[in-house]
Amino acid sequence: MATLKDVAKEAGLSVTQTSRALNDHSDVSVATRERVKDIARSLQYRPNLSARKLVSGRSGLVGLVVPRTYDLASDSMFIEVVSGLSSEFARRDMQCVLHVAQEDEPIIPVYKRLVGNGALDGFVLIDPSHDDKRAAFLSKAKVPFVVHGRIGSDPGHAYFDIDNETIFHDITRHLTDLGHRRIALLNGVEGRTYVAARTRGYLRALTDSRIPPSDAIIRGGAMTESLGLIATVELFSDPANRPTAIICGSVRIAKGVYQALQGLGLSIPDQVSVFAHDDHIAQMKTEAFYPALSVTDAPMRESWQPLAACLDGAISGAPLSDLQVIGSHRTILRHSTAPPCQ
Amino acid sequence: MATLKDVAKEAGLSVTQTSRALNDHSDVSVATRERVKDIARSLQYRPNLSARKLVSGRSGLVGLVVPRTYDLASDSMFIEVVSGLSSEFARRDMQCVLHVAQEDEPIIPVYKRLVGNGALDGFVLIDPSHDDKRAAFLSKAKVPFVVHGRIGSDPGHAYFDIDNETIFHDITRHLTDLGHRRIALLNGVEGRTYVAARTRGYLRALTDSRIPPSDAIIRGGAMTESLGLIATVELFSDPANRPTAIICGSVRIAKGVYQALQGLGLSIPDQVSVFAHDDHIAQMKTEAFYPALSVTDAPMRESWQPLAACLDGAISGAPLSDLQVIGSHRTILRHSTAPPCQ
DNA sequence: CTGTTAGCGCTTTCAT
DNA sequence: ATGAAAGCGCTAACAG
């Protein structure tokens, strides 16, 4: 491997100046800068990460720790996250160190080890919970991190998130505007911050329409077809309290809901309206649902770039306000919602 | 973070001696060694990987690059590999750097970048092909690596593999012993080394029983239920040449075969015998098949430990002969095979 | 058994 | 605009 010294020798400069040229310091003539970079390229020079880390504190390595959960294998979520992040960081000349924690493995010691080794610049946290131990630990250890989602109402950390509260408020609002008053929400696993945000948006919209919170119908669980299937069957088993509309936290859930409604002989949207949020991680085309599914659309794949950017910023010490990003979404109305039947 | 200096000060020793104590050098009294280790523990000392790498050449970081392929998401293979390797390496105080190459991303530049950075000690190569570019590149670059499988007939690299040729020879032999002469092999994707090995074993067993190679029936493809399903239907569509036994490269394939045979009204094992190799990555219990599936059994999860050990050895410069390991397998005869009907 | 010295490859003062 | 020198945290060669 070519070292900085080799480049310096070739350029007829000192190691110092060569380093400065390569790092775009202002006190190097532009001509020299370009010349040195050319030489570096021709020598296939790559800075030694360990050496750089030792002196500058940055190694270009970031950590990603995921718990090995029940549905990790079946869910395409995992591969989506890992693949998206790894290529996004690669683009920034950074690398991901991955650890999959075993089911019985406590998570904090993993971070402790990774942090203690001093080889990593920061972490990406996914699936935050309301009272997130990992974030607490990393904050205390003063290790930069970015969260996919938000922890608490006024987060002191870098994050990328979508506006779950508004999204689910808008969905609910769309349904109340159509005249629905018994609207079910099939949400995710209790404890996740985004699940709480979605509930808030939903409840706020109900309140807006003077629907009492006691009329809220919320079910939660792993976002699978089974949830949609089972929840729907249960909801309709009590004839007196059937919802007229169902909001699904994911397309996968919606798939189950469609199946259940078909089984129950209920037609969409005439008898039941269905609306879902689509993060594009289920490999399902919502326009191919029959009837075509109305969705709010916020592709999760669009989050890797901002996540990487925010972590990069956090490591470089950028001001927090630049590191808190809310992604955009859009609403696609198709044919799965209609006014409730009398 | 506590540094070696802190530990040394606390122990009243020089940094050198402290380092030696921590690394179990023989020229430190056992008492001192223990005392220093205790102090290190109480100070929560963790060696700085970058510093260590810089001087000793080892960082404890190994690379894993996987191509993002069509079936990566659906297949539980990926999570299995990543999770198994990451915890096995963690046990050895090593970490995995992961990169998921995008579909259009050439693979060698990825290795080039990772190697060039000089932060990694070695690589794990999975899914080797007959003419593996990655292995060629790493060999030339003199970077240690271990292969899950073997490349070529007399590999000059560290590997862990199972004896695919013998396994499939034995399966075929079992069927010929029962009297079968038209035996189909549903294999994996062409080009993979293990697929070729399996074909060799199969053909050798046919030859042993004086079945002409022209009577070999081989189909290949991604190891999915679809392959089993489609291949079976096609094989039986020509009444003159129906096989009397089917060997499946994976349990997933066998699942498809069972489905197809049921659909075709063919009974197992009376009309068709079925045998599969079970690597335990499909979450399917072979004893719960009806009739219970006969298999050769070689859990892939048992390969992470030897793979990590071999790479560790390769990095430490152990002799190649210690780094070439063949895993064991066993044969479980159940109720899916019987002599062919007349 | 133990300490001194040197140096891994790089960045950053501090001089010039 | 450039170079000399120091040092990041650690290990290894070389003395005692």
Side-chain angles (χ1 to χ4, degrees), chain B:
Chain B
M1 282 315 307
T3 83
L4 193 57
K5 210 198 279 187
D6 301 327
V7 180
K9 197 180 300 175
E10 185 77 12
L13 285 172
S14 72
V15 179
T16 313
Q17 195 67 344
T18 311
S19 164
R20 281 194 282 242
L22 255 20
N23 292 310
D24 278 324
H25 280 225
S26 58
D27 46 1
V28 182
S29 72
V30 182
T32 310
R33 239 185 286 183
E34 285 314 315
R35 195 168 60 84
V36 170
K37 283 187 183 176
D38 276 346
I39 293 172
R41 214 163 313 150
S42 72
L43 256 45
Q44 301 219 55
Y45 167 76
R46 310 242 92 217
N48 181 309
L49 290 187
S50 304
R52 173 178 284 182
K53 169 77 189 184
L54 204 52
V55 54
S56 73
R58 280 196 65 162
S59 65
L61 255 29
V62 298
L64 177 64
V65 180
V66 296
R68 166 85 127 136
T69 52
Y70 53 103
D71 57 348
L72 201 55
S74 63
D75 211 353
S76 47
M77 178 74 174
F78 173 71
I79 168 73
E80 203 61 50
V81 172
V82 168
S83 141
L85 284 178
S86 90
S87 54
E88 200 52 55
F89 279 115
R91 194 194 313 282
R92 302 169 168 272
D93 253 308
M94 300 166 78
Q95 298 302 325
C96 281
V97 171
L98 177 78
H99 182 79
V100 179
Q102 298 306 299
E103 302 193 53
D104 52 352
E105 187 178 8
I107 204 81
I108 296 301
V110 176
Y111 283 95
K112 254 194 188 125
R113 200 184 56 233
L114 259 22
V115 167
N117 282 332
L120 303 189
D121 294 337
F123 289 86
V124 179
L125 260 45
I126 56 175
D127 260 352
S129 61
H130 182 66
D131 174 29
D132 203 282
K133 311 282 186 214
R134 306 167 298 173
F137 170 76
L138 292 176
S139 295
K140 211 184 57 183
K142 301 214 181 305
V143 177
F145 64 97
V146 64
V147 179
H148 191 205
R150 272 168 286 182
I151 301 171
S153 52
D154 181 23
H157 61 254
Y159 64 78
F160 174 83
D161 199 2
I162 53 173
D163 193 348
N164 281 295
E165 179 168 344
T166 299
I167 292 174
F168 278 71
H169 174 271
D170 291 354
I171 296 177
T172 312
R173 175 64 181 275
H174 169 73
L175 294 167
T176 56
D177 280 352
L178 285 172
H180 291 275
R181 298 190 59 82
R182 294 201 47 80
I183 303 169
L185 169 63
L186 307 190
N187 213 336
V189 175
E190 194 79 24
R192 296 284 149 74
T193 53
Y194 71 90
V195 172
R198 291 171 175 195
T199 301
R200 275 199 307 280
Y202 163 78
L203 290 175
R204 186 154 57 77
L206 291 190
T207 308
D208 290 350
S209 297
R210 307 184 187 287
I211 298 172
S214 58
D215 281 3
I217 308 167
I218 303 178
R219 299 297 158 100
M223 294 190 140
T224 62
E225 294 176 40
S226 318
L227 171 62
L229 200 77
I230 294 171
T232 304
V233 172
E234 286 179 356
L235 289 174
F236 282 89
S237 64
D238 177 6
N241 288 309
R242 299 180 164 194
T244 61
I246 301 177
I247 300 173
C248 305
S250 78
V251 173
R252 198 159 229 146
I253 294 176
K255 186 78 175 290
V257 170
Y258 267 56
Q259 280 175 23
L261 290 176
Q262 186 178 26
L264 295 168
L266 263 14
S267 79
I268 308 169
D270 301 331
Q271 293 173 282
V272 184
S273 288
V274 181
F275 209 113
H277 175 70
D278 187 5
D279 51 20
H280 292 237
I281 56 168
Q283 326 280 27
M284 299 169 177
K285 293 215 163 58
T286 49
E287 67 268 31
F289 274 55
Y290 185 80
L293 183 60
S294 292
V295 294
T296 47
D297 189 87
M300 190 167 285
R301 84 176 94 83
E302 289 174 9
S303 63
W304 316 136
Q305 192 277 328
L307 272 172
C310 285
L311 182 50
D312 200 353
I315 292 167
S316 314
L320 194 56
S321 56
D322 293 354
L323 307 174
Q324 303 188 320
V325 181
I326 304 287
S328 64
H329 66 274
R330 58 192 187 134
T331 302
I332 306 176
L333 258 31
R334 286 196 277 244
H335 310 299
S336 62
T337 57
C341 55
Q342 309 321 344

Side-chain angles (χ1 to χ4, degrees), chain A residues 252-278:
Chain A
R252 199 160 228 144
I253 294 177
K255 186 79 177 288
V257 170
Y258 266 56
Q259 280 175 23
L261 291 177
Q262 185 178 27
L264 294 168
L266 263 15
S267 80
I268 307 169
D270 300 331
Q271 293 173 281
V272 184
S273 289
V274 181
F275 209 114
H277 175 70
D278 187 4

Side-chain angles (χ1 to χ4, degrees), chain A residues 125-138:
Chain A
L125 260 45
I126 56 176
D127 261 350
S129 60
H130 182 65
D131 175 28
D132 204 283
K133 311 282 186 215
R134 305 166 299 172
F137 170 75
L138 292 175

Side-chain angles (χ1 to χ4, degrees), chain A residues 83-306:
Chain A
S83 139
L85 284 177
S86 89
S87 52
E88 199 52 54
F89 279 116
R91 195 194 311 283
R92 302 170 167 272
D93 252 309
M94 301 165 78
Q95 298 302 324
C96 279
V97 171
L98 177 78
H99 183 78
V100 180
Q102 298 306 300
E103 301 192 53
D104 52 352
E105 186 178 9
I107 204 81
I108 296 300
V110 176
Y111 283 95
K112 253 192 189 127
R113 199 183 60 233
L114 259 23
V115 166
N117 282 333
L120 303 189
D121 294 337
F123 288 86
V124 179
L125 260 45
I126 56 176
D127 261 350
S129 60
H130 182 65
D131 175 28
D132 204 283
K133 311 282 186 215
R134 305 166 299 172
F137 170 75
L138 292 175
S139 295
K140 212 184 57 182
K142 301 215 181 304
V143 177
F145 64 96
V146 64
V147 179
H148 191 204
R150 272 168 286 182
I151 301 170
S153 53
D154 181 23
H157 61 255
Y159 64 77
F160 174 83
D161 200 2
I162 54 173
D163 193 348
N164 281 295
E165 180 169 343
T166 299
I167 292 174
F168 278 70
H169 174 271
D170 291 354
I171 296 177
T172 312
R173 174 66 182 273
H174 169 72
L175 294 167
T176 56
D177 281 353
L178 285 172
H180 291 275
R181 299 191 57 84
R182 295 200 49 80
I183 304 169
L185 170 63
L186 307 189
N187 214 336
V189 175
E190 194 79 24
R192 297 284 149 75
T193 53
Y194 71 90
V195 172
R198 291 171 175 195
T199 301
R200 275 200 307 280
Y202 163 78
L203 290 175
R204 188 154 55 78
L206 291 190
T207 309
D208 289 351
S209 298
R210 307 185 186 287
I211 299 172
S214 59
D215 280 4
I217 308 167
I218 304 179
R219 299 296 159 99
M223 294 190 140
T224 61
E225 293 175 43
S226 318
L227 171 62
L229 200 76
I230 293 170
T232 303
V233 172
E234 287 180 355
L235 288 174
F236 282 89
S237 63
D238 176 5
N241 288 308
R242 298 179 164 193
T244 61
I246 301 177
I247 300 173
C248 306
S250 78
V251 172
R252 199 160 228 144
I253 294 177
K255 186 79 177 288
V257 170
Y258 266 56
Q259 280 175 23
L261 291 177
Q262 185 178 27
L264 294 168
L266 263 15
S267 80
I268 307 169
D270 300 331
Q271 293 173 281
V272 184
S273 289
V274 181
F275 209 114
H277 175 70
D278 187 4
D279 52 19
H280 293 235
I281 57 168
Q283 325 280 28
M284 299 170 177
K285 294 215 163 56
T286 49
E287 68 269 30
F289 275 54
Y290 184 79
L293 184 60
S294 292
V295 294
T296 46
D297 189 88
M300 190 166 285
R301 84 176 92 83
E302 289 173 9
S303 62
W304 314 135
Q305 193 277 326

